[in-house]
Amino acid sequence: MLQYLKQSTFKANEVFIKAIGLLKSHYFSIAGLCFLLFITSSLSSYLAFTLAEASGGVVKGLLCFVFVTLFFGTQLVLIKRALLLARGVEHADFKDYIPSAKQFVNFLMGFILYSFLLGIVYLLSSLLSFPLLYLGADMETLSMEVNPFLTGLIMMFVLLRITFFPYFIVDKKYNLFRACRLSIALTKGNVLNLLLLLFVVGTAYMLQVSFEYLGYFIIAKIFSAINTFVIIPSVSLVMATAYHNMMKDYKGGDDPQLLRNII
């Protein structure tokens, strides 16, 4: 187990170091796309707030469509750019970055599917924790602490297993369900590697929150800057590099069975 942990740690560090190297060489293209995502999200929230009292359902619907298209479309462009860089392709035609309508729809359906699974898991967590009421547990504690914790824990595992579905949609042009099955097959036996990667990527954010809680605001701002200008732009490259490395070692088929690869 210790040897496996050592190998996993080495692989996670190797992926992160390679991703940072790619980020250094192509910082402005990756950070620019991340900044565009931030601007799109912020502008969408601002307009939603300012137009909350305004009439005109057609205008609101049109703006919603535009921002959804821009936000998720930019995410797909970012994934495509990161995948090409992970493979050593530094330059590509502009059309190679534009997602097709099929890829966009499948990508959007993935977030809808995850939201649906989140609701199902929360309902199941509520049912599982319901007997605790008869043992003296407080209803507010169950609804505000126990159920969200159980749901978050389960959904984190689910997210780890299906985290590469956008990459299969972009890379292989598969539909959502086939992409999810392949992601589950690809991550089988690699959950520890992915957890270590998330830990490495999330360290700056955890330190930022910790220093804010302890009252060291200047140090917290430093880690906030690292998180904003280094960690967030590197996430797409980290995941693309991990996907590229794992695909080289993948021995499964192109259309794996779901139940056979869950455990």
Side-chain angles (χ1 to χ4, degrees):
M1 180 63 188
L2 289 175
Q3 182 63 26
Y4 176 68
L5 181 60
K6 185 187 294 185
Q7 292 174 352
S8 299
T9 305
F10 176 77
K11 289 180 180 179
N13 290 340
E14 188 180 60
V15 167
F16 185 74
I17 291 170
K18 182 180 178 180
I20 291 297
L22 290 172
L23 182 65
K24 286 171 61 179
S25 302
H26 306 277
Y27 180 79
F28 290 104
S29 63
I30 297 297
L33 288 169
C34 291
F35 181 71
L36 183 58
L37 284 171
F38 173 76
I39 291 296
T40 304
S41 177
S42 300
L43 187 58
S44 174
S45 300
Y46 173 75
L47 289 176
F49 177 77
T50 55
L51 297 176
E53 303 297 330
S55 58
V58 175
V59 175
K60 290 181 181 179
L62 181 61
L63 286 174
C64 179
F65 173 78
V66 169
F67 281 110
V68 166
T69 302
L70 280 175
F71 185 78
F72 289 102
T74 304
Q75 283 191 321
L76 284 174
V77 172
L78 179 61
I79 290 172
K80 286 194 173 191
R81 175 65 173 159
L83 271 176
L84 289 172
L85 289 176
R87 289 174 178 156
V89 180
E90 297 187 0
H91 304 287
D93 293 336
F94 180 75
K95 61 181 178 61
D96 294 331
Y97 294 109
I98 305 301
S100 66
K102 181 180 178 182
Q103 289 174 326
F104 180 83
V105 170
N106 277 286
F107 185 57
L108 186 59
M109 285 175 58
F111 287 91
I112 296 173
L113 175 63
Y114 186 80
S115 300
F116 175 75
L117 290 175
L118 178 64
I120 296 296
V121 170
Y122 186 83
L123 179 61
L124 291 175
S125 299
S126 300
L127 292 175
L128 290 173
S129 61
F130 185 75
L132 294 176
L133 288 173
Y134 296 98
L135 299 177
D138 184 61
M139 184 64 182
E140 184 176 351
T141 302
L142 288 179
S143 61
M144 300 299 293
E145 298 179 16
V146 177
N147 290 343
F149 175 77
L150 288 176
T151 303
L153 197 63
I154 295 171
M155 291 310 295
M156 184 184 71
F157 179 76
V158 172
L159 183 61
L160 282 175
R161 299 304 304 274
I162 66 171
T163 191
F164 292 111
F165 84 85
Y167 295 86
F168 283 107
I169 290 174
V170 167
D171 186 29
K172 305 296 184 181
K173 299 179 175 59
Y174 292 148
N175 62 48
L176 170 63
F177 298 105
R178 187 176 182 182
C180 286
R181 292 200 304 273
L182 276 162
S183 180
I184 291 170
L186 182 66
T187 54
K188 183 180 180 181
N190 286 296
V191 173
L192 183 57
N193 292 335
L194 293 173
L195 280 173
L196 287 169
L197 272 179
L198 287 178
F199 176 77
V200 171
V201 170
T203 299
Y205 179 74
M206 289 186 289
L207 288 172
Q208 174 191 339
V209 173
S210 299
F211 282 116
E212 284 179 353
Y213 178 77
L214 294 172
Y216 297 102
F217 297 108
I218 295 177
I219 301 177
K221 289 296 182 182
I222 293 173
F223 281 104
S224 176
I226 295 173
N227 190 51
T228 301
F229 295 106
V230 178
I231 300 301
I232 292 177
S234 69
V235 167
S236 57
L237 289 170
V238 167
M239 298 307 294
T241 303
Y243 168 83
H244 179 62
N245 290 354
M246 290 164 67
M247 281 298 291
K248 290 191 294 186
D249 299 328
Y250 178 62
K251 306 299 182 184
D254 289 337
D255 195 13
Q257 295 182 8
L258 176 62
L259 296 178
R260 185 174 293 180
N261 290 288
I262 289 179
I263 300 177

